[in-house]
Amino acid sequence: MTGIFDSHAHYTDHRFSDDLGTVLDSLPAQGVHAVLCCGSDLADSRAALRLADQRPWIFAACGVHPHEAAMASEADYAALRELLRAERCVAVGEIGLDYHYDFSPRAVQFDVFRRQLALAAEAALPVVVHDREAHEDTLRLLREFRPQGGAPWGVVHCFSGSLEMAKELLALGLLLGFGGAVTFRNARKPLAVAAEIPLDRLLLETDAPYMTPEPFRGRRCDSGHIRWTAEKIAEARGMEAQELADATRQNAHHLFRIPE
C-alpha cells in the first residue's frame, strides 16, 4: 500500500525523543505519503512546525489541547495567531473538549475551544477537533462556528460517537478521522461508522504514539502502523485497501488545502 496520509500524529511526544529522525525518515519507504503533526500547546506547536520545516512530507497543526486549556493565557492567543500564519501550518489543532479526564475545568475548556475556533475562522484554516465524552458541547460550538458554504472545514479525530452523531457532524461540513481503535475487538461502533459514512468524508490517522492497532497493541505507534487501520476499514467497506488509501489521501489534501 502506498500514498497513505496520516492525518493525526504527535511526533513531538517524548516517546520519540530517542529515535525521532530514524522513525520519520523510514515512513516514505513504508508507503506513508504525508503526516499531519498536531500540537498540544504553544511549545508543542512550535516543535511541530520545526519538524514540518525539516521534512517535506510533514505538515503541522497548531493549537492548545483541552488537557492544557487551563494554562492558556492572553499572550498565548496572540502567539498562536502568529503561528497560524506559518507556511507549514495547515490547520488549527488539536483543539476541543475532553470531559473524560477533566485535566482542565470544563468551563475553561469550553472557552479555550471557542476562542480557537474563532482564530481558525479568522485565519481561514480548518480545525482538528478532539471530543471525548463531550459530544453535546462539542456540537454546540461546531454549530456556532460552522462557516457559510459547503466546503469541508475540519475533522473530528479519533471519532468514537454514534452513527447519529456522525451524520450530524457530516451535515455540519466536517470529516471524521479513524485510527487504530477500529482494529480493537471491543470497538465495534467506530468500525461500523467508518464503514457507513461517505468515502469523501473519511480520514485515516494513527494518533501516534497512541492507539496502536492490532496486532501491535501495547507498543508505541507510528505512522507505519496505519496500513492495518486502512485494511480493517477497507474490509468493512468491501473495497481494496489501496483504493481507500488513495481516497483518504485526496480527502486530506482537500481539507488541509495542500496541493498534491
Side-chain angles (χ1 to χ4, degrees):
M1 199 184 312
T2 60
I4 308 171
F5 198 124
D6 181 357
S7 65
H8 197 110
H10 296 280
Y11 283 111
T12 55
D13 189 276
H14 69 90
R15 292 174 180 84
F16 293 109
S17 58
D18 292 336
D19 61 350
L20 176 61
T22 300
V23 171
L24 293 180
D25 291 338
S26 74
L27 297 181
Q30 297 182 72
V32 177
H33 161 82
V35 177
L36 181 65
C37 186
C38 298
S40 60
D41 58 22
L42 268 293
D44 202 47
S45 295
R46 292 187 182 101
L49 278 171
R50 286 194 295 271
L51 291 180
D53 285 338
Q54 293 164 6
R55 290 170 174 82
W57 60 92
I58 306 293
F59 299 89
C62 298
V64 178
H65 191 284
H67 289 344
E68 313 300 328
M71 304 298 292
S73 67
E74 288 301 319
D76 287 340
Y77 295 113
L80 179 57
R81 181 178 280 108
E82 291 301 312
L83 292 182
L84 298 182
R85 296 192 177 110
E87 181 182 358
R88 302 291 291 177
C89 177
V90 299
V92 181
E94 176 179 355
I95 63 175
L97 303 172
D98 192 308
Y99 293 174
H100 177 78
Y101 287 111
D102 282 327
F103 288 159
S104 296
R106 294 184 181 186
V108 173
Q109 291 187 48
F110 191 87
D111 180 63
V112 172
F113 186 23
R114 170 179 268 148
R115 293 188 67 170
Q116 290 184 97
L117 287 169
L119 284 176
E122 175 187 316
L125 286 173
V127 293
V128 178
V129 176
H130 175 106
D131 166 29
R132 188 164 187 186
E133 299 177 19
H135 299 334
E136 184 177 342
D137 280 350
T138 298
L139 282 168
R140 177 181 165 191
L141 283 175
L142 292 176
R143 290 188 196 106
E144 179 182 341
F145 283 91
R146 178 187 185 181
Q148 298 297 317
W153 63 286
V155 55
V156 176
H157 105 95
C158 197
F159 183 75
S160 60
S162 65
L163 182 58
E164 290 71 25
M165 183 183 181
K167 290 177 178 178
E168 181 158 8
L169 291 168
L170 297 180
L172 290 173
L174 295 154
L175 280 73
L176 305 180
F178 297 90
V182 300
T183 70
F184 300 169
R185 291 172 188 156
N186 62 346
R188 297 182 183 89
K189 185 163 61 174
L191 182 60
V193 174
E196 183 71 20
I197 66 171
L199 183 58
D200 65 355
R201 296 300 193 90
L202 196 155
L203 293 181
L204 295 176
E205 63 173 63
T206 58
D207 203 20
Y210 312 104
M211 303 296 289
T212 312
E214 297 287 359
F216 304 102
R217 198 171 179 184
R219 305 182 196 176
R220 182 189 69 179
C221 184
D222 65 56
S223 299
H225 291 112
I226 200 168
R227 63 174 54 248
W228 279 268
T229 298
E231 289 170 356
K232 188 72 173 181
I233 295 174
E235 179 184 18
R237 294 183 67 95
M239 62 190 299
E240 294 296 322
Q242 186 62 59
E243 182 185 359
L244 180 75
D246 291 342
T248 53
R249 181 186 68 252
Q250 292 166 9
N251 295 345
H253 276 275
H254 182 52
L255 174 63
F256 299 123
R257 302 157 201 166
I258 301 169
E260 273 208 77

